[in-house]
Amino acid sequence: MRRRGLPPGFSLVELSVVLLIGVVVMFSLLPVSIGLLRQQAGLDAKRLSVEMFPLLWERLSGDFGRASSVALSPPFAAPAFRLDLTPLREEDPEVSWTVVRGVVSRTNVRKKPDGEVMTATSTWTLPGTLSLDADELANGRLLLIWNDGSETELLPLVCGRPTEKNP
């Protein structure tokens, strides 16, 4: 006699256990997927919230980690400035960051193997201000000051990764 509705060889208990395991796995992966979607939405957004600013900071830190040097324009602390990052390796893109009041732009210039140059620019409006610390700049160091109105955070900028060999 054959049971109706179930595949041959499976009991109702076995099928219930498999479904329960599937539900547990799905709900355990849900926070990870929501976090990844939130990060992507934050970096694609045109206006960042205070909670999303750390994502922009991670992108800036990553660019500095792949850079061998940085050029500041103008070469003194100003309300509007641009950071041009020279890539550490040939395959890395040239990246520049422009800060004007509460707007930050990231321009990425990549050269394809066939010689074609690809340029991509992302712009974000920030819920605060980014500025350079003039005292640290006079000492030859880049230190960004992030002020969201409620608190001030210092963000040091250093080129290159200590774990990689410089050419």
Side-chain angles (χ1 to χ4, degrees), residues 60-68 85 88 92 158-161 164:
L60 181 61
S61 297
D63 286 344
F64 264 81
R66 289 183 298 277
S68 62
L85 304 171
L88 189 61
D92 289 337
V158 179
C159 288
R161 293 184 182 147
E164 290 185 351

Side-chain angles (χ1 to χ4, degrees), residues 115-131:
E116 183 182 358
V117 176
M118 302 293 294
T119 302
T121 301
S122 300
T123 303
W124 301 278
T125 301
L126 300 177
T129 58
L130 272 177
S131 59

Side-chain angles (χ1 to χ4, degrees), residues 42-61:
L43 290 177
D44 288 343
K46 297 299 178 199
R47 182 169 190 78
L48 294 182
S49 64
V50 173
E51 294 83 22
M52 290 296 174
F53 178 76
L55 300 174
L56 186 70
W57 170 239
E58 286 177 20
R59 172 76 55 93
L60 181 61
S61 297

Side-chain angles (χ1 to χ4, degrees), residues 92-113:
D92 289 337
E94 293 178 14
V95 177
S96 65
W97 287 80
T98 305
V99 178
V100 180
R101 294 188 183 110
V103 178
V104 176
S105 297
R106 178 184 184 265
T107 303
N108 181 356
V109 179
R110 183 177 298 278
K111 295 177 186 168
K112 288 187 169 182

